[in-house]
Amino acid sequence: MNTGDLAWVLISAALVWLMTPGLALFYGGLGERRNLLHTMFVPILIIGIATMVWFTVGYSLAFGGAGDIIGNFKHLFLSGVSFTHSTKSLTIPDGAFALFQGMFPIITAAIITGSVIGRVRIKAMIVFITLWLIFIYTPLAHMVWGGGLLAKLGAIDFAGGTVVHISSGVTGLVLALMIGHRHNDKHVPVRPSYVLIGGALLWVGWFGFNSGSALAANGIAVLALVNTWLASAAGVLTWGLAEYKMQGRATLSGITSGGVAGLVAITPAAGFVAPWAAVVMGLLAGVIGFGGITFVKNSFGYDDTLDAFGIHGIGGAVGAILTGVFADKTIGGIAGAVNGDWSLVWKQLVAILFTVAFAAIGTYILAKITAVIAAPLRLTPEEEAQGYDNIMHDLTVE
């Protein structure tokens, strides 16, 4: 075991955990006044739900066994997980690996809530998220990072472009389509300062999210952190420019979202591409992210409340494709189109399409099951107009 590697992974795990309270503030600032507290409440509740799912069955299903689709029950309740040795040829013990990986389903599930917050009953949300983590997240984590189907295909995902962002974004979109539009939509960002504070916490946490995915304090970790820094900064600039060109002004909430868009795009590529490519990916992500929450959303008419699909779903797919384009064998050890090997692009496309289909179909089925267990899924128009802050939290934020 290497104490430096272990220290970095433990710090990174704490940074990834911090992302969920950050997302709560970020979403709260973007959301509706009548649901401000509830918008922040749900991601914090998910910290509890996702942690218990990971501890009981999630880690075992994601990283136990060698099946193509799912693991096994060998490590239920983290049984048989060593806190002093590695069975994965790493320089950190299995317990540290389980801890770090356990932070990812928390933020993934929290992202989903942004698409339907204020429309779905809390009981239904709890049931759905629990089922989703078991039946969607853990198989995807196994297939990508646990040696399963997509790993065997040769698709790559350094820190979660498919596992985290595409899966959560597509899930949010499917739920939004199933639940339907909001009644009496009053959506304007009510707390830009919350957006900034939450976005900053997300941003800082993301350095651990991406750099910690090297699972060691080494050159790949440095590369991932540099690429994360560059892509997010580039995303700020192009989102702000696009917002200014289209709306005549650039906003604090907008450019902070641009930083997040850059972070999403670089996530699958962080340890595989050169810094110049990270800048290109960030520049593209800012424009595409802005287009995702404006042109795409308006053209298709779906009601993705806080744009989980526009930023995470679309951004994750763009990042995964560009990973296939810019992966540089001399930098991260895997050859992409920049090295003349276009096969990685096709592998990335297959992985994206598989993830979209798996998440979409699975979400539809699990939402139907949730409707049986915890009906009704949706608030009544009267309850929705009143807002969950009054219904559940007995407080209206002024």
Side-chain angles (χ1 to χ4, degrees), residues 68-70 131-143 149-150 162-163 166-167 170-171 174 350-366:
D68 284 343
I69 304 297
I70 195 71
L131 294 174
W132 189 89
L133 287 166
I134 296 171
F135 293 105
I136 304 297
Y137 182 85
T138 55
L140 282 173
H142 179 80
M143 285 186 275
L149 182 66
L150 297 179
T162 50
V163 180
I166 296 176
S167 70
V170 169
T171 296
V174 172
V350 171
I352 292 167
L353 293 174
F354 179 89
T355 303
V356 169
F358 188 78
I361 295 169
T363 295
Y364 181 82
I365 294 170
L366 294 179

Side-chain angles (χ1 to χ4, degrees), residues 110-239:
I111 290 168
I112 295 169
T113 66
S115 290
V116 292
I117 198 72
R119 283 178 280 172
V120 176
R121 293 184 183 278
I122 188 64
K123 180 170 69 173
M125 183 74 79
I126 292 170
V127 171
F128 175 81
I129 289 296
T130 302
L131 294 174
W132 189 89
L133 287 166
I134 296 171
F135 293 105
I136 304 297
Y137 182 85
T138 55
L140 282 173
H142 179 80
M143 285 186 275
V144 174
W145 296 325
L149 182 66
L150 297 179
K152 292 176 181 177
L153 168 69
I156 57 174
D157 184 357
F158 189 76
T162 50
V163 180
V164 175
H165 297 295
I166 296 176
S167 70
S168 60
V170 169
T171 296
L173 175 63
V174 172
L175 286 179
L177 292 172
M178 293 180 71
I179 297 297
H181 278 253
R182 282 167 288 173
H183 303 292
N184 191 26
D185 176 15
K186 298 178 180 177
H187 183 200
V188 292
V190 294
R191 293 287 191 275
S193 58
Y194 284 23
V195 176
L196 174 60
I197 295 168
L201 292 173
L202 272 172
W203 217 319
V204 171
W206 223 301
F207 290 129
F209 190 91
N210 286 353
S211 186
S213 292
L215 299 174
N218 57 20
I220 297 299
V222 177
L223 173 68
L225 205 154
V226 168
N227 285 342
T228 302
W229 167 47
L230 293 173
S232 57
V236 168
L237 298 179
T238 50
W239 184 297

Side-chain angles (χ1 to χ4, degrees), residues 1 31 38 43 72 91 103 105 114 120 174 187 201 209 229 238 247 292 302 309 349 361:
M1 299 294 99
H38 189 67
N72 57 30
T91 57
M103 301 302 166
V120 176
V174 172
H187 183 200
L201 292 173
F209 190 91
W229 167 47
T238 50
Q247 300 178 353
Y302 55 83
F309 176 71
L349 285 170
I361 295 169

Side-chain angles (χ1 to χ4, degrees), residues 38 45 47 78 160-161 194 214 219 245 252-253 256 270 273 275 295 305 333 351 353 358 377 379:
H38 189 67
L45 179 63
I47 293 176
L78 297 185
Y194 284 23
K245 287 291 186 180
L252 176 61
S253 296
T256 305
V273 304
F295 176 76
T305 308
L353 293 174
F358 188 78
L377 293 180
L379 297 174

Side-chain angles (χ1 to χ4, degrees), residues 54-56 59-60 73-83:
W54 190 251
F55 168 66
T56 53
Y59 176 72
S60 190
F73 296 114
K74 180 180 180 181
H75 297 302
L76 293 180
F77 304 98
L78 297 185
S79 61
V81 175
S82 174
F83 290 86

